[in-house]
């Protein structure tokens, strides 16, 4: 049986599911950032905008994680793409264990939120700090 197959993947969720099979903690996000920096930034870039070094050197640019279509895709879809690949992207089931794939997805979701957060969505103390600094209008 291939490593990363559904039979051996206790963290598998269907492609159309928005479930997240792990608790999202700072530890998981930090692990996700670390794994993202290793496996994903060469193509997707540090900010998830598709401007990684591979793309900057002439290869096809992957889509930005910040486009509406990818922000709305279910978590299961992203997990499937990381696992099996899509288009020019190879699958990473042999290189990235399931738990780390989910850590990466949690980090990608955090990247997406960082670019698309509204001031009203921030905690009150953060909003107050932004208003005091004049950063939010």
């Amino acid at each position: 049986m291939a490593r990363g197959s559904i039979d051996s993947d206790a963290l598998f969720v269907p492609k159309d599911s928005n479930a997240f099979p792990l608790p999202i903690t700072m530890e998981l996000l930090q692990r996700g950032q670390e794994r993202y920096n290793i496996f994903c930034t060469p193509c997707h870039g540090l900010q998830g905008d598709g401007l990684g070094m591979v793309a900057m050197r002439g290869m096809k640019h992957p889509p930005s994680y910040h486009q509406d279509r990818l922000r709305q895709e279910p978590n299961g879809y992203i997990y499937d793409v990381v696992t099996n690949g899509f288009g020019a992207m190879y699958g990473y089931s042999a290189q990235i264990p399931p738990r780390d794939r989910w850590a990466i997805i949690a980090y990608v979701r955090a990247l997406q939120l960082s670019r698309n957060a509204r001031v009203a969505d921030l905690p009150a103390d953060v909003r107050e700090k932004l208003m005091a600094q004049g950063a939010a209008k």
Side-chain angles (χ1 to χ4, degrees):
M1 180 179 324
R3 182 169 179 228
S5 71
I6 293 174
D7 292 339
S8 66
D9 187 349
L11 299 176
F12 171 80
V13 300
K15 281 173 66 170
D16 61 351
S17 173
N18 217 18
F20 205 92
L22 297 170
I24 299 175
T25 63
M26 281 305 295
E27 180 184 349
L28 185 74
L29 287 169
Q30 289 169 343
R31 177 72 177 181
Q33 181 180 21
E34 176 187 280
R35 302 285 93 185
Y36 177 89
N37 288 346
I38 292 168
F39 292 104
C40 309
T41 59
C43 296
H44 291 280
L46 285 171
Q47 297 179 31
D49 52 13
L51 299 175
M53 284 307 273
V54 170
M56 300 304 285
R57 293 183 180 241
M59 298 294 285
K60 183 177 179 189
H61 288 236
S64 170
Y65 293 132
H66 306 293
Q67 63 180 261
D68 220 25
R69 179 183 69 82
L70 290 181
R71 284 197 322 266
Q72 294 177 19
E73 287 290 358
N75 294 328
Y77 170 83
I78 298 172
Y79 185 82
D80 181 71
V81 170
V82 174
T83 303
N84 300 308
F86 183 83
M89 180 177 157
Y90 293 108
Y92 281 83
S93 62
Q95 295 94 337
I96 306 173
R99 183 176 178 81
D100 283 348
R101 285 180 238 157
W102 282 111
I104 290 169
I105 294 164
Y107 181 69
V108 166
R109 293 302 196 194
L111 281 175
Q112 290 172 325
L113 285 172
S114 74
R115 283 263 185 107
N116 296 288
R118 297 176 311 178
V119 172
D121 296 334
L122 298 172
D125 61 324
V126 175
R127 275 195 318 267
E128 290 171 18
K129 187 175 178 181
L130 282 173
M131 295 302 207
Q133 295 174 351
K137 298 188 190 246

